[in-house]
Amino acid sequence: MSVRFGATILQVVPFPSLRDDYVFAESIGLDNAWVIDQFWIDEVPEMPLLEAWTTLAAVARETRRIRIGAMVTNVAIRNPAMLAKSILTVDQLSDGRVEAAVGGGFYPAEHAAIGVDFPDGPGRGERLREAVVILDGALRGNEMSHDGTHVRLSGAFFRPGPTQTPRPPLWVAGQAKRSLRVAVRYADAVVTLGEEGKGIEESLPAFERRMATVDEICAEEGRDPGTLRRCLFAGWADEPIFASVGATADFVGRYVEAGATDFTF
């Protein structure tokens, strides 16, 4: 499985500057580039921040090759049926270059600001599972009904269907076992973070343990572990990723040995 590289570009600048960042990322050969999906930046809520999927619709028309998405879309603040429509629309606008990366929510203060509940880990994991079940079917263009704890759908149609076959690639963000299991059951890729504020001596073993858990779940679920891509969302841990060319090569090499197939910086 080839290693792929991407950049997560915060949409905190005017759109012409963001467009230029995407065009540059495409010009240097990156495989993908992502915006973030937040209502605000948690530490600086007054900072201007463009909405993710509206921005991606515009980015789709300004690029030609690079794959695009939001790293990661928060299913807690978006009805999954409407999110599926957004993803399918950008799939059309990009001629099949959209990737759908989703997670269960990360910032309690952001949720509180817009009146969305922030349950405990199991609660967020169950809400994520319901959303991913819906997305897995809806992004294939299926008619969907769902009677869950968090979401209810009744005969919802998803037209137009996907440009990509069988659907746009689905990535699931996971740190805990419950969300990793959702990724194994339904996703094309799992996304995981480094250990915030810790060095590579602690962050790399944590990644290795998480990948071992993924392999265990694959065995339990009857999935070939080689069919699941594994993305490190780099930059959360205190690691000297870009201190030098050698440091970057060493960083990438060590995480690839630990199981990473994808990086976003």
Side-chain angles (χ1 to χ4, degrees):
M1 189 177 287
S2 61
V3 179
R4 302 187 303 197
F5 297 92
T8 299
I9 304 170
L10 274 66
Q11 62 274 27
V12 295
V13 294
F15 182 75
S17 296
L18 183 73
R19 175 198 60 213
D20 291 347
D21 287 341
Y22 263 83
V23 170
F24 175 73
E26 184 171 67
S27 73
I28 64 173
L30 291 182
D31 296 290
N32 46 57
W34 314 81
V35 294
I36 63 170
D37 182 45
Q38 292 177 227
F39 180 75
W40 65 20
I41 302 296
D42 202 47
E43 297 82 359
V44 278
E46 70 280 3
M47 179 178 287
L49 180 69
L50 299 174
E51 191 279 324
W53 283 93
T54 311
T55 300
L56 287 169
V59 165
R61 306 308 295 169
E62 299 285 347
T63 52
R64 294 293 175 266
R65 180 200 58 79
I66 197 165
R67 300 188 65 81
I68 60 175
M71 184 62 69
V72 297
T73 301
N74 182 357
V75 300
I77 62 175
R78 296 178 182 274
N79 177 284
M82 292 305 299
L83 173 58
K85 291 287 282 187
S86 295
I87 295 167
L88 289 169
T89 298
V90 177
D91 186 47
Q92 293 278 330
L93 293 172
S94 66
D95 296 322
R97 291 182 291 115
V98 74
E99 308 255 344
V102 298
F106 199 72
Y107 297 106
E110 178 186 44
H111 285 224
I114 58 176
V116 175
D117 65 318
F118 192 84
D120 59 12
R124 295 198 305 280
E126 177 57 22
R127 182 160 57 189
L128 175 65
R129 186 195 65 79
E130 285 191 34
V132 170
V133 167
I134 291 167
L135 288 169
D136 183 42
L139 293 178
R140 300 171 192 266
N142 295 342
E143 177 186 355
M144 296 295 295
S145 295
H146 183 85
D147 185 17
T149 301
H150 302 280
V151 186
R152 292 176 178 83
L153 300 179
S154 179
F157 286 91
F158 294 88
R159 302 289 187 276
T163 295
Q164 303 178 71
T165 304
R167 56 155 169 70
L170 184 58
W171 306 44
V172 171
Q175 301 288 96
K177 189 170 185 177
R178 66 184 72 88
S179 50
L180 296 176
R181 188 175 297 277
V182 173
V184 168
R185 284 182 176 175
Y186 302 103
D188 302 286
V190 61
V191 182
T192 187
L193 304 173
E195 301 301 293
E196 188 171 4
K198 297 181 180 179
I200 195 167
E201 296 79 10
E202 294 178 81
S203 190
L204 181 59
F207 180 82
E208 291 171 333
R209 290 192 295 272
R210 208 164 287 130
M211 293 305 100
T213 299
V214 167
D215 289 339
E216 292 169 5
I217 297 171
C218 283
E220 294 168 3
E221 298 287 338
R223 177 170 183 170
D224 177 357
T227 64
L228 183 69
R229 301 193 71 91
R230 298 145 191 251
C231 177
L232 175 68
F233 192 166
W236 292 79
D238 185 17
E239 297 168 323
I241 301 171
F242 301 120
S244 66
V245 172
T248 304
D250 179 69
F251 174 86
V252 169
R254 293 175 73 177
Y255 274 95
V256 168
E257 288 180 1
T261 63
D262 293 73
F263 296 84
T264 183
F265 295 101

